[in-house]
Amino acid sequence: MLQGFILGIASGTACLAYCAPVLVPVLLGEGKNIQRNYVILGQYLGGRLCGYLLFALLAWAVRFPLSGLQDRELVFGVVYVVLALFLVYYGLFNHRALCAGQIIEQRPIKRFSNRLPPMPLVFGFLSGVTLCPPFLLAFTEAADKVAVWQSLLVFFTFFLGTSLYFLPIPLVGAFNRFDALQKVGKLAAVVVAVYYLYAGLIKIAGGVIVS
Amino acid sequence: MSRLKSVLAYTAAVLALLIALATFTGMDSFGRKLVSVTGIKVSPWMIGGEVVSVIEHEGYQTVIHRPVFDGLFSERKKGMLQIDWTPQQGLPARVDELIDFDRDGKDDFHIVLNPESNKAGLEAINPRVVSIEGCYTLKDGRAARLSLYHD
Amino acid sequence: MSVFSPRPEMPAPSTARGIVRAVLLTLPMLLLIAMMMTQGELPKDSLTRAVTAITYALLGAVFFLMVYKKETYKYRAALFTIVAVCFSIAFIANLVEMRGSMAVSRADMLAGETPFCHLVIPMVIIPAAFTRTIIFPGSLLEGFANIASMLILWLGASLALGRGWCSWVCFFGGFDEGFSRLRKKALIKKIAPVWTYLPWAVLLTLALISALTLSPFYCEWLCPFKAVTEFEQITSFKILLQTIIFASLFILLVVILPLLTRRRTQCGLFCPFAAFQSLANKINIFDLRIDTEKCKNCRLCVKDCPTFSLDENSVGRGKTLMSCTKCGKCVDICPQRAVTYHIKGTPVAVGSDTARILFLYPAFIFMSAIGGSMIVSALTRIFKLIATGSMIG
Ligand code: SF4
Ligand code: SF4
C-alpha cells in the first residue's frame, strides 16, 4: 500500500507536468473562483481515479495486456485522439460554459453535450489512462499483484500520492475576474488538442507500422 | 503632487533613452554579467551532457557525455546519452567499441558505427540501455545518442 | 462638425520654424546613429563605406521626416519593412556563405551554433527558472545572435519601449507590416474579436508544452519566420511535417491574411511573443491615450489598428488595449487628433508632441541600431550581386 503512495509522491511532479497542459486551460476556461476550482479539480481527479482503477482491474484481469510496444502505442494513440476531440469540443462547442466567441452554431451539439458527464471528469479520465509515464510504472506494479484488491490498492495509493501536487493549481481562480482568461483557456484547449491529435496520430501510425 | 508626478514621469521617459543607449554600448558586458550571476547554461538536452570521459584511440577519440535525465522538477525516468567520435579524418572505416558509460568497471553496451554511412548498431549489455535514438554528423566527427532508463 | 473635417491643430510643416525645429531635433539623433553605426571607426573598404553612407542618409531622412511632418506611422512602417527584408537577405546570404544552405544541420545544433531569436524567450523562461538551463541549441556568449546578447537586447527594449518592440525592434514584424500595406482596401473587414485572444492561448500552451518537453516547441513546429531565415534540414518525416506547417503558416498569416485584412495578422492573432511582450507595456512609461472629449467616436482607429489593439470599450476609456505596439497609426489617422503618445503620470493631451519625441528617441535608436547594420549588410550583398553576379564570397 505504502509502495503505491511513495511511487505517487516520487512521480507526482512528472504527473503534474503531463496533466498541466490539459488541466490549466480547463480551469481557466471554466472561469470559476478558487473554491469552485477545487470542485473542478475534484471532478478532474475523480475522472483520473476512474481511469487508474479501470486499468488496475485490467492489469489484474488480463495480466498486463498491453505489454507489446505496438499495442500500447495503438491504444494510447487512440486515447490521445479521443482526448483531442473532446478538447476541441470543449473549446469551440461546449455550451455549458462560455464558448470561444460562439464561433460555431451549436444546436445539434446541445443535445449531445446534455448527455455528457462534466468535461473535467472526462479529461481526468482520459489523462488518467494515458498521459503520464509513471502511470505505466504503477501499472507494472499492479500487474504483479495476485488479488484484485491489491491491484486496486496500488493504483489508489499511487493516485493519492500524485494528487498532492495538483492542490495549488486551482489558485489560478484568483484571476477569474479577468473575463479574457476564460476565452484564453478555451482557445488554449483547442491549441492543446492540435498537439494531442498530432501525437495521437503519430502513435497510431507507429503502432500500425510496428505491428 | 501632480507636478511631482509629472517630473518623475518625464525623468523616467528620459531614462528610456539612456536605457536604449546602454543596451547597445554595454551589451557584451551585461550579457556576461547575466550569465555569471544567473549561472545559466545551455540545456544538455540540446548539446549533450558535460563530457565525463575521453577514450583515446589511434587517430581518434571517443568522448562520453554525462547521461541526461534532467527534468523540469526532478529527474526523468528515461534519458539520453551522447557519444562523440572525433576527429573526422582519424576515424576508421568501422568503429567497434564496448563502452562503460557509468564507469562501474563493467561494459554497458557494444556499439558499431560506420562513419561513412553514419549508421550504427547497438547491443545492450546493461538493461538500462534501450536503443539508438540517432546518429549525427558533427563539425569534426560523428555522434550517436542512445536512450537510457534511469537506474 | 463632421468627423471628417480637416484635422484640428494640423501642424504647419512648411514654415521655416518647422524646418529649424526638425533639424535641431534630428541632429542629436544623427550623432547617435553615426556613433552606433561606425563605433568610432569608418569602414575600411569603399563599398562598405558607400553603403554605410546610404544607410545613414536613409535613417537620418526617416527620422527628420517623422519630426518635421509630425507623422510617425508611414515612415516607420516603410523603414520597418525595409529592415525585415534586409535582415532576411543578410541572414540568408550569411548562412549560405558559412554553411552552404539555409538549412540548419544537426551538427550546428549539437555544436550550439543556432542563432537565438527573441520569439523563443517566453518558452525558455519556465525551464530556465527551474533548471537554470536554456532550452535552445545556441551559444551563451559566443558568435552572432548569442543567447546572452539577445536577452539583454530584449530586456533593454522591454524597459524602454514595452510592446513597442513589435513595431520598432522586431526584425520579423516588417514582413506582415509590409504585406498588410500592399493593398489599398481590405477585402476582409470583420474579424471576430475572440481571435485576438489566440496569441495568449498559444503562449499558454507553448509555455506549458515547452516546459514539459524541455524543448522550444514554437521554434520546432510553428515559427513562420523560418521561411525567411533558417530551418532544420529535412532528414525525417517529422521534420518534413514541421516544414510544411511553418511554410503554410507563413503563407497564411504573414502573406495572405495581411493582404486581405490590411492588418498584421501574425503579430495580432498568433505570435506568442506578442502576447508575452504585451505585459511589458505595464512597466513601460509610454502609452497612447485618447482624449475622450475630442473623440467623435468615428471608430477609424478601431478599424485600422494593425494589431487589433483598440476596441470600442477601450476608446471609451480613453486607452488602448494592452497589446498596443506604439506604431503611431491611430495617432496619424485620427481626424480629430484625439489620439496621442503619452507619458504615464502626466496629464493627457498636454505636451503630447514632447511625449512623442521623447518616445521616438529610444524607439528610433533601437530601430536604427538593429536595422542599420542589417541594411548595410544587405545592400553590400546586393551591390556584390550586381557587380559579380553572386551575393556570396
Ligand atoms: S508580434 Fe511577434 S512577430 Fe510581430 S512584431 Fe511582435 S514579436 Fe515580432
Ligand atoms: S493602438 Fe494605435 S499605436 Fe497602438 S498598435 Fe493600434 S494603431 Fe498602433
Side-chain angles (χ1 to χ4, degrees):
Chain A
M1 184 176 143
L2 209 62
Q3 211 176 5
F5 188 74
I6 291 171
L7 196 62
I9 295 271
S11 336
T13 48
C15 286
L16 179 64
Y18 276 88
C19 283
V22 177
L23 185 57
V24 173
V26 170
L27 285 178
L28 288 177
E30 294 293 311
K32 299 289 192 313
N33 61 19
I34 297 178
Q35 288 95 311
R36 298 288 300 276
N37 269 356
Y38 276 104
V39 176
I40 296 169
L41 178 69
Q43 291 177 340
Y44 182 88
L45 291 179
R48 204 161 144 265
L49 180 63
C50 292
Y52 280 4
L53 295 183
L54 177 82
F55 262 68
L57 274 177
L58 263 180
W60 175 82
V62 222
R63 298 265 132 196
F64 206 48
L66 300 174
S67 52
L69 179 71
Q70 66 272 40
D71 297 340
R72 192 191 293 171
E73 294 286 284
L74 263 178
V75 172
F76 288 177
V78 170
V79 182
Y80 271 28
V81 172
V82 174
L83 174 67
L85 294 178
F86 271 108
L87 282 166
V88 171
Y89 158 77
Y90 177 77
L92 298 180
F93 302 98
N94 183 21
H95 81 279
R96 288 186 189 157
L98 175 75
C99 291
Q102 272 76 40
I103 300 158
I104 288 134
E105 182 56 52
Q106 297 168 12
R107 230 168 293 143
I109 311 255
K110 224 169 192 169
R111 254 171 288 141
F112 171 69
S113 41
N114 283 337
R115 294 199 197 113
L116 282 178
M119 278 293 108
L121 195 93
V122 175
F123 292 131
F125 179 79
L126 293 170
S127 324
V129 293
T130 53
L131 295 183
C132 52
F135 164 79
L136 284 175
L137 273 182
F139 194 84
T140 327
E141 279 287 328
D144 288 342
K145 304 296 172 217
V146 194
V148 64
W149 68 267
Q150 281 178 316
S151 212
L152 288 173
L153 203 64
V154 169
F155 270 94
F156 183 68
T157 49
F158 174 77
F159 164 81
L160 284 184
T162 56
S163 296
L164 291 180
Y165 291 90
F166 288 77
L167 294 178
I169 301 191
L171 298 178
V172 297
F175 304 104
N176 76 328
R177 63 179 187 283
F178 299 113
D179 289 346
L181 282 183
Q182 208 175 337
K183 292 188 189 119
V184 171
K186 292 267 169 180
L187 284 173
V190 181
V191 182
V192 174
V194 176
Y195 172 71
Y196 281 118
L197 187 65
Y198 162 77
L201 291 177
I202 290 291
K203 272 187 188 296
I204 292 172
V208 170
I209 290 165
V210 175
S211 62
Chain B
M1 185 63 194
S2 69
R3 201 181 154 70
L4 177 70
K5 231 167 111 183
S6 289
V7 171
L8 288 176
Y10 278 108
T11 313
V14 174
L15 214 60
L17 172 63
L18 298 181
I19 290 172
L21 291 172
T23 302
F24 292 103
T25 49
M27 189 176 273
D28 285 344
S29 57
F30 290 147
R32 269 192 295 276
K33 246 263 111 42
L34 180 79
V35 171
S36 70
V37 167
T38 56
I40 46 166
K41 293 199 174 86
V42 174
S43 165
W45 287 105
M46 302 290 134
I47 54 168
E50 300 80 17
V51 174
V52 286
S53 65
V54 177
I55 306 167
E56 296 291 343
H57 303 277
E58 208 174 303
Y60 74 101
Q61 41 179 227
T62 306
V63 179
I64 303 173
H65 293 253
R66 167 178 74 83
V68 180
F69 292 98
D70 310 23
L72 188 63
F73 305 113
S74 54
E75 298 233 301
R76 291 177 174 179
K77 300 276 176 276
K78 218 168 163 193
M80 170 278 287
L81 172 72
Q82 184 173 323
I83 314 273
D84 307 339
W85 293 274
T86 170
Q88 175 74 37
Q89 6 79 296
L91 295 183
R94 180 183 143 103
V95 174
D96 187 329
E97 267 186 87
L98 280 163
I99 290 187
D100 166 21
F101 76 85
D102 53 10
R103 290 182 292 167
D104 62 352
K106 285 188 233 136
D107 292 330
D108 296 303
F109 59 89
H110 175 205
I111 190 161
V112 179
L113 172 86
N114 178 344
E116 190 58 40
S117 63
N118 212 9
K119 293 238 157 59
L122 175 84
E123 188 196 329
I125 301 168
N126 183 335
R128 287 176 58 199
V129 178
V130 184
S131 59
I132 295 188
E133 256 175 32
C135 294
Y136 310 102
T137 308
L138 296 179
K139 299 257 143 158
D140 189 19
R142 294 281 184 254
R145 282 190 171 193
L146 275 60
S147 45
L148 297 179
Y149 280 126
H150 209 297
D151 44 13
Chain C
M1 183 171 69
S2 141
V3 288
F4 293 112
S5 56
R7 303 197 334 159
E9 291 173 48
M10 282 292 269
S14 56
T15 59
R17 227 178 123 223
I19 294 178
V20 171
R21 175 183 172 274
V23 169
L24 287 178
L25 285 170
T26 307
L27 278 177
M29 181 53 79
L30 286 175
L31 203 72
L32 291 172
I33 301 174
M35 261 167 52
M36 279 182 305
M37 283 185 73
T38 61
Q39 291 178 348
E41 219 181 300
L42 276 180
K44 299 232 160 37
D45 67 298
S46 51
L47 175 63
T48 320
R49 221 175 307 154
V51 161
T52 308
I54 296 172
T55 310
Y56 183 64
L58 171 74
L59 295 173
V62 170
F63 190 79
F64 174 82
L65 285 169
M66 279 185 188
V67 178
Y68 176 58
K69 298 268 192 187
K70 297 192 176 177
E71 280 179 52
T72 315
Y73 178 70
K74 69 176 178 216
Y75 303 110
R76 183 205 58 79
L79 185 59
F80 197 49
T81 308
I82 292 173
V83 168
V85 174
C86 287
F87 163 71
S88 198
I89 293 174
F91 191 89
I92 294 170
N94 209 15
L95 285 189
V96 175
E97 198 166 81
M98 279 163 34
R99 306 177 182 151
S101 89
M102 261 173 92
V104 53
S105 68
R106 255 315 171 112
D108 300 307
M109 291 163 86
L110 291 179
E113 287 180 0
T114 321
F116 186 78
C117 112
H118 56 278
L119 299 184
V120 75
I121 290 174
M123 265 133 301
V124 303
I125 286 184
I126 300 178
F130 285 99
T131 67
R132 289 220 270 156
T133 62
I134 300 285
I135 51 163
F136 188 85
S139 158
L140 271 184
L141 289 164
E142 305 302 319
F144 165 67
N146 63 59
I147 296 169
S149 61
M150 287 303 287
L151 286 176
I152 294 297
L153 173 68
W154 165 71
L155 281 171
S158 300
L159 285 173
L161 312 176
R163 203 189 159 196
W165 172 285
C166 296
S167 278
W168 297 87
V169 190
C170 178
F171 31 81
F172 296 127
F175 281 103
D176 62 348
E177 177 112 56
F179 283 110
S180 72
R181 286 165 51 82
L182 282 183
R183 284 183 58 91
K184 280 264 170 301
K185 280 212 164 79
L187 287 179
I188 299 175
K189 296 209 173 79
K190 206 166 154 41
I191 290 173
V194 68
W195 295 117
T196 59
Y197 295 99
L198 191 58
W200 291 96
V202 176
L203 171 68
L204 176 70
T205 313
L206 294 185
L208 288 173
I209 294 179
S210 299
L212 161 70
T213 58
L214 290 186
S215 65
F217 195 81
Y218 183 74
C219 306
E220 287 173 355
W221 285 94
L222 302 172
C223 179
F225 295 113
K226 289 201 284 189
V228 284
T229 51
E230 62 177 348
F231 45 79
E232 198 173 347
Q233 213 166 29
I234 302 176
T235 51
S236 66
F237 173 71
K238 184 176 156 194
I239 302 176
L240 174 69
L241 200 67
Q242 290 171 341
T243 311
I244 295 172
I245 292 175
F246 80 69
S248 320
L249 285 174
F250 183 81
I251 294 169
L252 186 74
L253 290 167
V254 184
V255 181
I256 296 180
L257 283 176
L259 276 172
L260 296 179
T261 58
R262 296 196 84 236
R263 312 272 201 138
R264 291 172 61 181
T265 45
Q266 155 69 15
C267 303
L269 302 180
F270 190 71
C271 180
F273 181 85
F276 180 69
Q277 194 63 13
S278 299
L279 298 171
N281 267 349
K282 292 279 172 202
I283 52 162
N284 179 237
I285 192 73
F286 300 103
D287 63 359
L288 279 101
R289 291 302 263 281
I290 300 144
D291 186 340
T292 43
E293 305 216 321
K294 283 189 192 165
C295 172
K296 292 276 188 282
N297 210 11
C298 67
R299 300 194 311 148
L300 211 59
C301 57
V302 177
K303 276 184 267 163
D304 263 18
C305 171
T307 48
F308 311 89
S309 304
L310 287 160
D311 63 19
E312 278 164 51
N313 292 336
S314 73
V315 173
R317 288 196 308 270
K319 288 180 173 176
T320 66
L321 296 172
M322 200 172 147
S323 56
C324 171
T325 63
K326 298 163 193 172
C327 71
K329 189 170 192 181
C330 52
V331 181
D332 293 349
I333 60 164
C334 174
Q336 300 305 317
R337 298 191 74 76
V339 194
T340 51
Y341 280 95
H342 171 250
I343 297 169
K344 290 176 191 166
T346 63
V348 178
V350 175
S352 60
D353 201 45
T354 313
R356 178 173 162 272
I357 297 288
L358 281 173
F359 173 74
L360 279 187
Y361 267 95
F364 205 79
I365 283 175
F366 273 102
M367 196 177 207
S368 49
I370 303 277
S373 58
M374 287 165 188
I375 300 174
V376 168
S377 158
L379 283 182
T380 312
R381 299 280 181 183
I382 291 168
F383 282 125
K384 240 186 216 165
L385 176 72
I386 296 168
T388 66
S390 166
M391 278 189 182
I392 317 298

